[in-house]
Amino acid sequence: MLTDTPGIHHITGIVRDAQTNVNFYTDVLGLRLIKQTVNFNEKFTRHLFYGDETGSPGTGLTFFPYPAENDGRIGKPQISTAALVIPPNSVSYWRDRLVEHDVAVTGPTERFDETVLRVSDPDGTKLELVTGDSSVTPWADGPVPTQHAIRGIFGVTLLSTNIFVTASVLETLGFELLEQAGDRVRYRAPGDRATVIDLLDRDVEFGREGAGSIHHVAVRVPEKEQLYEWHDLFREREYDVSRVKDRHFFHSLYVREPGGILFELATEQPGLTADADLDTLGQSLFLPPWLEEDREMIEGQLQPLELPSAPETN
């Protein structure tokens, strides 16, 4: 039986340089590099996962680095922004930290009942640091003092070509309409983290996928068996839906809804720490069993990657 999603599982973006991506998300934002692997559909492309200590569902930012990728352009239909949770009393710390690292920051501004700082990563991916409560225990061995550390995903903002259809999809998945402020319509899932999806009812140009664009947002599903039920439901509605895929760390299903947004539905198990040593997460290239025999060839095609530097404080 289908159940409402408790919230977002992870957010995946496209960038250009893997090393620049690692340096920003670990050294500046203080997230843990949980997993370095490859795109299971394109084995010569890296796939980098960041999150809390264990890469819990609801904390994951993942990126595909394509060194020759052109710049993307934010527009419809796209996920325009990924938002991360910071403690309410950490706004000044983060503004100062970002400035010290030569990262342009806008804000703070007030939105609904939260305070927002806006930044872009080195490839132009739009990010927000948003004050709020979270059940997530932050990564304690990073460069950011624990009391200020990022506590997982806050949510995403969508630019749909059909806001009404996309809203209907959100409600089907289990998100409920919460409130509206100006052209921003907020939906929230019933879980304890990574629960917010905002729709912007805004007239903007069409976007272009490329470096700095967000490829998809994944929502959490309890069991693999539910993915088959979701597949049948979306197929009955004649949506563009994939088969159920084995992502080793989870099983997933992709659906491109009529508003143009690509959603992934991903199981919470077995998780990014399955068959892994917690102390050495992200320290070496992981390959799923079906690619292991090609390890030497794959490693030879990937750009070298220097692992995160030692913490500067904490």
Side-chain angles (χ1 to χ4, degrees):
M1 182 180 71
L2 293 177
T3 58
D4 292 344
T5 179
I8 292 170
H9 185 284
H10 67 266
I11 303 165
T12 295
I14 297 171
V15 293
R16 190 173 291 112
D17 183 69
Q19 188 64 61
T20 302
N21 187 257
V22 168
N23 293 346
F24 180 79
Y25 284 93
T26 61
D27 293 345
V28 179
L29 293 191
L31 301 178
R32 187 179 191 186
L33 177 63
I34 295 294
K35 193 73 69 180
Q36 47 165 320
T37 181
V38 296
N39 183 340
F40 292 172
N41 296 329
E42 299 178 45
K43 60 186 178 184
F44 300 126
T45 298
R46 287 190 183 274
H47 194 183
L48 304 171
F49 289 72
Y50 307 92
D52 65 352
E53 182 174 0
T54 61
S56 306
T59 71
L61 291 179
T62 95
F63 294 92
F64 297 124
Y66 291 97
E69 185 66 60
N70 293 321
D71 287 342
R73 182 180 64 233
I74 305 303
K76 294 183 178 181
Q78 282 184 338
I79 301 160
S80 65
T81 311
L84 304 170
V85 182
I86 59 173
N89 62 352
S90 298
V91 174
S92 295
Y93 169 84
W94 274 104
R95 182 173 174 82
D96 292 345
R97 179 177 178 80
L98 293 164
V99 171
E100 288 170 2
H101 284 80
D102 296 323
V103 178
V105 55
T106 302
T109 58
E110 300 299 318
R111 186 177 67 198
F112 297 112
D113 59 351
E114 67 240 10
T115 302
V116 181
L117 293 175
R118 293 188 176 89
V119 299
S120 298
D121 76 5
D123 284 282
T125 309
K126 303 298 183 186
L127 302 172
E128 294 176 339
L129 301 183
V130 181
T131 58
D133 297 324
S134 171
S135 64
V136 172
T137 301
W139 170 228
D141 291 333
V144 177
T146 305
Q147 67 268 31
H148 298 301
I150 288 171
R151 284 152 166 77
I153 294 169
F154 180 86
V156 291
T157 299
L158 308 182
L159 285 167
S160 168
T161 59
N162 189 328
I163 189 172
F164 300 106
V165 174
T166 303
S168 174
V169 173
L170 292 177
E171 291 170 358
T172 299
L173 290 170
F175 289 82
E176 293 187 357
L177 175 62
L178 192 65
E179 55 189 326
Q180 179 170 358
D183 62 2
R184 182 177 293 268
V185 184
R186 172 153 297 182
Y187 282 80
R188 189 185 295 277
D192 62 352
R193 60 191 186 279
T195 57
V196 171
I197 291 185
D198 287 346
L199 288 172
L200 288 183
D201 188 8
R202 186 175 299 177
D203 185 19
V204 298
E205 66 178 343
F206 279 86
R208 181 180 63 232
E209 188 172 280
S213 66
I214 298 174
H215 187 261
H216 66 265
V217 57
V219 300
R220 308 200 292 277
V221 173
E223 304 290 343
K224 176 184 175 183
E225 288 68 25
Q226 285 200 8
L227 294 176
Y228 294 101
E229 296 183 55
W230 282 112
H231 173 275
D232 292 345
L233 184 149
F234 288 125
R235 188 161 186 172
E236 287 172 3
R237 298 184 180 184
E238 299 183 346
Y239 291 179
D240 181 8
V241 60
S242 75
R243 61 180 174 82
V244 174
K245 296 179 180 291
D246 180 1
R247 297 311 191 196
H248 189 77
F249 314 115
F250 45 83
H251 286 80
S252 67
L253 176 76
Y254 298 85
V255 56
R256 177 83 67 181
E257 52 87 21
I261 305 298
L262 181 61
F263 287 96
E264 180 181 5
L265 286 70
T267 60
E268 300 193 60
Q269 301 297 329
L272 294 170
T273 58
D275 302 324
D277 178 0
L278 192 60
D279 292 334
T280 59
L281 283 176
Q283 299 299 299
S284 60
L285 179 69
F286 171 85
L287 295 177
W290 61 87
L291 293 179
E292 192 60 52
E293 65 177 352
D294 295 330
R295 172 174 288 274
E296 184 176 355
M297 178 176 59
I298 291 171
E299 289 182 328
Q301 294 293 318
L302 299 177
Q303 290 184 317
L305 189 64
E306 185 175 337
L307 296 178
S309 57
E312 61 191 46
T313 184
N314 205 35

